[in-house]
Amino acid sequence: MTTSFKEGFEKTKIAGSIAAGALDEVSKIIKPGISTDKIDKVCYEYINDMKAYSAPLFYRGYPKSCCTSTNHVVCHGIPSEKILKEGDIVNVDVTAFKYGWHGDTSRMFKVGEVSIKAEKLINATYESMMKAISIIKDGVYLGDIGSTIQTHVESKGFSVVQDFCGHGIGQSFHKEPNVLHYGEKGTGEKIKEGMIFTIEPMINLGNYETRTLNDGWTAVTKDKSLSAQFEHTIGVTKDGCEIFTQK
Protein backbone atom coordinates (compact mmCIF):
# COMPACT_ATOMS: atom_id res chain seq x y z
CA MET A 1 0.00 0.00 0.00
CA THR A 2 1.48 3.33 -1.03
CA THR A 3 1.50 6.40 1.20
CA SER A 4 -1.17 8.10 -0.95
CA PHE A 5 -3.73 5.41 -0.09
CA LYS A 6 -2.83 5.22 3.58
CA GLU A 7 -5.13 7.92 4.98
CA GLY A 8 -8.17 6.69 3.08
CA PHE A 9 -7.57 3.11 4.13
CA GLU A 10 -7.02 4.03 7.78
CA LYS A 11 -10.07 6.29 8.04
CA THR A 12 -12.34 3.86 6.18
CA LYS A 13 -11.22 1.15 8.58
CA ILE A 14 -12.22 3.32 11.56
CA ALA A 15 -15.68 4.00 10.07
CA GLY A 16 -16.03 0.37 9.03
CA SER A 17 -15.16 -0.89 12.48
CA ILE A 18 -17.88 1.33 13.97
CA ALA A 19 -20.43 -0.01 11.46
CA ALA A 20 -19.41 -3.58 12.32
CA GLY A 21 -19.74 -2.76 16.01
CA ALA A 22 -23.30 -1.57 15.47
CA LEU A 23 -24.16 -4.95 13.90
CA ASP A 24 -22.53 -6.72 16.85
CA GLU A 25 -24.91 -4.77 19.11
CA VAL A 26 -27.86 -5.85 16.94
CA SER A 27 -26.81 -9.49 17.35
CA LYS A 28 -27.32 -9.12 21.11
CA ILE A 29 -30.98 -8.10 20.80
CA ILE A 30 -32.28 -10.10 17.80
CA LYS A 31 -35.14 -12.34 18.93
CA PRO A 32 -38.83 -12.88 18.21
CA GLY A 33 -40.96 -9.99 19.46
CA ILE A 34 -38.66 -7.03 18.82
CA SER A 35 -39.46 -4.38 16.23
CA THR A 36 -37.25 -3.31 13.36
CA ASP A 37 -37.49 0.20 14.87
CA LYS A 38 -35.68 -1.22 17.92
CA ILE A 39 -32.87 -2.39 15.62
CA ASP A 40 -32.69 1.10 14.12
CA LYS A 41 -32.49 2.66 17.59
CA VAL A 42 -29.65 0.35 18.63
CA CYS A 43 -27.67 1.18 15.45
CA TYR A 44 -28.27 4.91 15.77
CA GLU A 45 -27.27 5.03 19.44
CA TYR A 46 -24.14 2.91 19.02
CA ILE A 47 -22.86 4.91 16.04
CA ASN A 48 -23.68 8.16 17.85
CA ASP A 49 -21.86 6.95 20.99
CA MET A 50 -18.79 6.34 18.78
CA LYS A 51 -18.95 10.04 17.79
CA ALA A 52 -19.84 9.03 14.24
CA TYR A 53 -22.87 9.69 12.03
CA SER A 54 -25.35 7.20 10.51
CA ALA A 55 -24.91 7.97 6.82
CA PRO A 56 -28.30 6.59 5.64
CA LEU A 57 -30.22 9.02 7.90
CA PHE A 58 -31.77 11.67 5.60
CA TYR A 59 -29.68 10.44 2.65
CA ARG A 60 -31.83 11.32 -0.38
CA GLY A 61 -34.72 11.60 2.05
CA TYR A 62 -34.28 8.18 3.69
CA PRO A 63 -35.95 8.44 7.12
CA LYS A 64 -33.93 6.01 9.28
CA SER A 65 -30.38 5.19 10.41
CA CYS A 66 -30.19 1.69 8.93
CA CYS A 67 -32.04 -0.61 6.52
CA THR A 68 -33.88 -3.67 7.84
CA SER A 69 -34.84 -6.05 5.04
CA THR A 70 -36.95 -8.99 6.21
CA ASN A 71 -37.67 -12.26 4.40
CA HIS A 72 -38.65 -11.38 0.81
CA VAL A 73 -37.38 -7.78 1.12
CA VAL A 74 -34.19 -7.61 -0.97
CA CYS A 75 -32.80 -4.30 0.31
CA HIS A 76 -33.63 -0.81 1.62
CA GLY A 77 -36.36 -2.00 3.99
CA ILE A 78 -37.36 0.89 6.26
CA PRO A 79 -37.40 0.18 10.02
CA SER A 80 -40.89 0.42 11.49
CA GLU A 81 -43.12 -0.95 14.22
CA LYS A 82 -43.03 -4.30 12.38
CA ILE A 83 -42.46 -7.09 14.90
CA LEU A 84 -40.02 -9.86 14.04
CA LYS A 85 -41.32 -13.38 14.54
CA GLU A 86 -39.81 -16.84 14.93
CA GLY A 87 -38.35 -18.05 11.62
CA ASP A 88 -37.84 -14.61 10.07
CA ILE A 89 -34.54 -13.68 8.46
CA VAL A 90 -33.48 -10.04 8.36
CA ASN A 91 -30.63 -8.13 6.76
CA VAL A 92 -29.41 -5.09 8.68
CA ASP A 93 -27.40 -2.60 6.60
CA VAL A 94 -25.48 0.18 8.32
CA THR A 95 -23.02 2.85 7.21
CA ALA A 96 -20.97 4.90 9.66
CA PHE A 97 -19.45 8.26 8.67
CA LYS A 98 -16.39 9.30 10.69
CA TYR A 99 -13.52 11.70 9.99
CA GLY A 100 -15.00 12.36 6.55
CA TRP A 101 -15.01 8.70 5.41
CA HIS A 102 -17.70 5.99 5.14
CA GLY A 103 -17.76 2.35 6.23
CA ASP A 104 -20.68 0.33 4.82
CA THR A 105 -21.63 -3.21 5.86
CA SER A 106 -24.61 -5.53 6.22
CA ARG A 107 -25.27 -8.85 7.83
CA MET A 108 -28.04 -11.45 7.93
CA PHE A 109 -29.66 -12.30 11.24
CA LYS A 110 -31.83 -15.31 12.06
CA VAL A 111 -34.82 -14.74 14.32
CA GLY A 112 -35.05 -17.88 16.43
CA GLU A 113 -35.07 -21.14 14.47
CA VAL A 114 -35.23 -20.67 10.70
CA SER A 115 -36.05 -23.10 7.88
CA ILE A 116 -33.38 -25.27 6.26
CA LYS A 117 -33.87 -23.44 2.95
CA ALA A 118 -33.36 -20.07 4.68
CA GLU A 119 -30.21 -21.41 6.34
CA LYS A 120 -28.84 -22.65 3.01
CA LEU A 121 -29.63 -19.33 1.30
CA ILE A 122 -27.86 -17.34 4.03
CA ASN A 123 -24.81 -19.59 3.93
CA ALA A 124 -24.52 -19.48 0.12
CA THR A 125 -24.81 -15.68 0.13
CA TYR A 126 -22.05 -15.26 2.71
CA GLU A 127 -19.84 -17.79 0.93
CA SER A 128 -20.28 -15.98 -2.40
CA MET A 129 -19.17 -12.67 -0.88
CA MET A 130 -16.11 -14.21 0.77
CA LYS A 131 -15.15 -16.12 -2.40
CA ALA A 132 -15.29 -12.84 -4.34
CA ILE A 133 -13.21 -11.05 -1.72
CA SER A 134 -10.61 -13.83 -1.87
CA ILE A 135 -9.81 -13.16 -5.56
CA ILE A 136 -9.46 -9.38 -5.32
CA LYS A 137 -6.10 -7.77 -6.03
CA ASP A 138 -4.63 -5.17 -8.34
CA GLY A 139 -5.33 -6.11 -11.97
CA VAL A 140 -8.37 -8.34 -11.46
CA TYR A 141 -11.42 -7.44 -13.56
CA LEU A 142 -14.72 -6.34 -12.02
CA GLY A 143 -16.38 -9.08 -14.11
CA ASP A 144 -14.31 -11.65 -12.20
CA ILE A 145 -16.10 -10.60 -8.99
CA GLY A 146 -19.54 -10.97 -10.55
CA SER A 147 -18.64 -14.28 -12.17
CA THR A 148 -17.34 -15.72 -8.89
CA ILE A 149 -20.53 -14.80 -7.04
CA GLN A 150 -22.91 -15.89 -9.79
CA THR A 151 -21.19 -19.24 -10.37
CA HIS A 152 -21.28 -20.11 -6.66
CA VAL A 153 -24.89 -19.21 -5.93
CA GLU A 154 -26.31 -20.63 -9.14
CA SER A 155 -24.54 -23.93 -8.41
CA LYS A 156 -26.67 -24.01 -5.22
CA GLY A 157 -29.88 -23.31 -7.15
CA PHE A 158 -30.24 -19.65 -6.16
CA SER A 159 -30.32 -16.47 -8.29
CA VAL A 160 -28.40 -13.19 -8.22
CA VAL A 161 -30.32 -9.91 -8.03
CA GLN A 162 -29.32 -7.72 -10.99
CA ASP A 163 -31.11 -4.47 -10.11
CA PHE A 164 -28.64 -3.48 -7.36
CA CYS A 165 -24.88 -3.62 -7.06
CA GLY A 166 -21.87 -2.80 -4.95
CA HIS A 167 -20.27 0.62 -5.30
CA GLY A 168 -17.22 2.72 -4.80
CA ILE A 169 -17.14 4.42 -1.41
CA GLY A 170 -14.87 6.73 0.56
CA GLN A 171 -15.47 10.39 1.24
CA SER A 172 -18.62 9.93 -0.87
CA PHE A 173 -21.28 7.39 0.18
CA HIS A 174 -21.76 6.09 -3.38
CA LYS A 175 -19.47 6.58 -6.37
CA GLU A 176 -17.83 4.68 -9.23
CA PRO A 177 -17.22 1.88 -9.87
CA ASN A 178 -20.45 -0.11 -9.91
CA VAL A 179 -19.66 -3.63 -8.72
CA LEU A 180 -22.06 -6.10 -10.33
CA HIS A 181 -22.65 -9.43 -8.61
CA TYR A 182 -23.06 -11.32 -11.87
CA GLY A 183 -21.03 -11.30 -15.09
CA GLU A 184 -18.23 -12.86 -17.06
CA LYS A 185 -14.57 -13.28 -16.17
CA GLY A 186 -12.17 -10.92 -17.92
CA THR A 187 -14.80 -8.23 -18.54
CA GLY A 188 -15.34 -4.77 -17.13
CA GLU A 189 -12.92 -2.35 -15.53
CA LYS A 190 -9.61 -3.51 -14.12
CA ILE A 191 -9.33 -3.10 -10.36
CA LYS A 192 -6.43 -0.94 -9.19
CA GLU A 193 -4.53 -0.78 -5.93
CA GLY A 194 -6.02 1.88 -3.67
CA MET A 195 -9.62 1.46 -4.81
CA ILE A 196 -12.24 1.18 -2.06
CA PHE A 197 -15.62 -0.37 -2.80
CA THR A 198 -18.36 -2.59 -1.42
CA ILE A 199 -19.21 -6.15 -2.31
CA GLU A 200 -22.81 -6.82 -1.30
CA PRO A 201 -24.46 -9.73 -3.14
CA MET A 202 -28.24 -9.98 -2.90
CA ILE A 203 -29.29 -13.58 -3.52
CA ASN A 204 -32.84 -14.90 -3.98
CA LEU A 205 -34.28 -18.31 -3.24
CA GLY A 206 -36.43 -17.99 -6.37
CA ASN A 207 -36.27 -15.71 -9.40
CA TYR A 208 -33.81 -12.79 -9.52
CA GLU A 209 -36.45 -10.17 -10.44
CA THR A 210 -37.34 -7.40 -7.98
CA ARG A 211 -39.79 -4.53 -7.69
CA THR A 212 -39.76 -1.40 -5.54
CA LEU A 213 -42.75 -0.60 -3.31
CA ASN A 214 -44.63 2.70 -3.29
CA ASP A 215 -42.45 4.11 -0.50
CA GLY A 216 -39.74 4.49 -3.17
CA TRP A 217 -37.19 2.51 -1.15
CA THR A 218 -38.25 -1.02 -0.22
CA ALA A 219 -37.20 -3.53 -2.89
CA VAL A 220 -38.84 -6.97 -2.78
CA THR A 221 -38.62 -10.19 -4.77
CA LYS A 222 -41.32 -10.28 -7.47
CA ASP A 223 -42.14 -13.90 -6.65
CA LYS A 224 -42.12 -13.24 -2.87
CA SER A 225 -39.28 -15.73 -2.36
CA LEU A 226 -36.74 -15.21 0.42
CA SER A 227 -33.72 -12.96 -0.21
CA ALA A 228 -30.40 -12.67 1.63
CA GLN A 229 -27.49 -10.23 1.54
CA PHE A 230 -24.10 -9.65 3.12
CA GLU A 231 -21.83 -6.67 2.59
CA HIS A 232 -18.25 -5.65 3.31
CA THR A 233 -16.28 -2.54 2.38
CA ILE A 234 -12.84 -3.50 1.07
CA GLY A 235 -9.67 -1.74 -0.05
CA VAL A 236 -7.60 -3.15 -2.91
CA THR A 237 -3.90 -3.79 -2.28
CA LYS A 238 -1.24 -4.92 -4.74
CA ASP A 239 -1.50 -8.57 -3.76
CA GLY A 240 -5.00 -8.80 -2.29
CA CYS A 241 -7.41 -6.66 -0.33
CA GLU A 242 -8.24 -5.51 3.17
CA ILE A 243 -11.70 -5.87 4.72
CA PHE A 244 -12.52 -2.63 6.56
CA THR A 245 -15.90 -3.55 8.03
CA GLN A 246 -14.98 -5.90 10.83
CA LYS A 247 -14.05 -5.33 14.44
Side-chain angles (χ1 to χ4, degrees):
M1 182 174 62
T2 64
T3 311
S4 59
F5 306 141
K6 197 173 178 189
E7 183 191 8
F9 274 38
E10 287 177 352
K11 289 186 174 177
T12 302
K13 194 170 186 177
I14 292 167
S17 174
I18 293 169
L23 294 182
D24 288 347
E25 292 302 304
V26 170
S27 71
K28 298 174 185 176
I29 63 147
I30 283 279
K31 62 180 181 181
I34 72 158
S35 69
T36 52
D37 258 342
K38 171 68 173 173
I39 293 171
D40 184 70
K41 186 169 186 281
V42 165
C43 290
Y44 173 80
E45 289 180 350
Y46 179 84
I47 291 170
N48 195 54
D49 287 347
M50 295 295 111
K51 305 289 191 291
Y53 182 76
S54 295
L57 187 59
F58 308 131
Y59 178 75
R60 295 181 180 169
Y62 187 77
K64 298 286 183 171
S65 294
C66 69
C67 299
T68 51
S69 302
T70 308
N71 297 330
H72 72 291
V73 178
V74 175
C75 61
H76 304 154
I78 302 172
S80 67
E81 294 175 0
K82 175 185 171 65
I83 300 296
L84 297 174
K85 62 185 188 302
E86 182 84 16
D88 282 345
I89 61 173
V90 57
N91 176 272
V92 182
D93 190 341
V94 294
T95 305
F97 182 69
K98 175 90 170 177
Y99 300 137
W101 292 76
H102 294 81
D104 188 0
T105 186
S106 82
R107 201 181 295 173
M108 292 301 298
F109 295 93
K110 296 178 283 191
V111 184
E113 292 289 322
V114 304
S115 68
I116 291 170
K117 64 184 180 181
E119 189 91 49
K120 286 181 175 176
L121 175 67
I122 289 170
N123 290 342
T125 304
Y126 180 76
E127 289 160 8
S128 75
M129 175 183 69
M130 295 310 294
K131 278 178 179 288
I133 288 171
S134 74
I135 68 160
I136 291 171
K137 62 180 179 180
D138 184 272
V140 165
Y141 292 92
L142 283 176
D144 297 350
I145 295 173
S147 175
T148 299
I149 291 167
Q150 185 175 17
T151 299
H152 182 70
V153 300
E154 288 183 354
S155 76
K156 307 280 187 182
F158 305 128
S159 64
V160 181
V161 170
Q162 299 186 8
D163 294 333
F164 302 95
C165 60
H167 53 90
I169 190 169
Q171 290 172 294
S172 301
F173 194 170
H174 295 91
K175 62 179 187 175
E176 294 297 317
N178 290 331
V179 183
L180 304 182
H181 302 118
Y182 62 96
E184 294 180 20
K185 283 186 175 179
T187 64
E189 183 182 343
K190 264 191 181 178
I191 296 166
K192 295 183 179 67
E193 181 184 9
M195 290 174 83
I196 301 173
F197 54 81
T198 70
I199 297 181
E200 47 182 300
M202 289 154 248
I203 309 301
N204 295 348
L205 192 64
N207 192 277
Y208 68 84
E209 292 178 305
T210 72
R211 66 185 183 90
T212 300
L213 302 186
N214 291 336
D215 61 23
W217 286 102
T218 308
V220 299
T221 55
K222 268 192 179 176
D223 60 8
K224 296 197 165 79
S225 64
L226 292 176
S227 188
Q229 180 190 18
F230 283 89
E231 176 182 15
H232 272 314
T233 298
I234 63 100
V236 181
T237 62
K238 188 160 184 56
D239 302 314
C241 72
E242 189 173 350
I243 299 174
F244 296 133
T245 39
Q246 49 193 14
K247 289 283 280 182

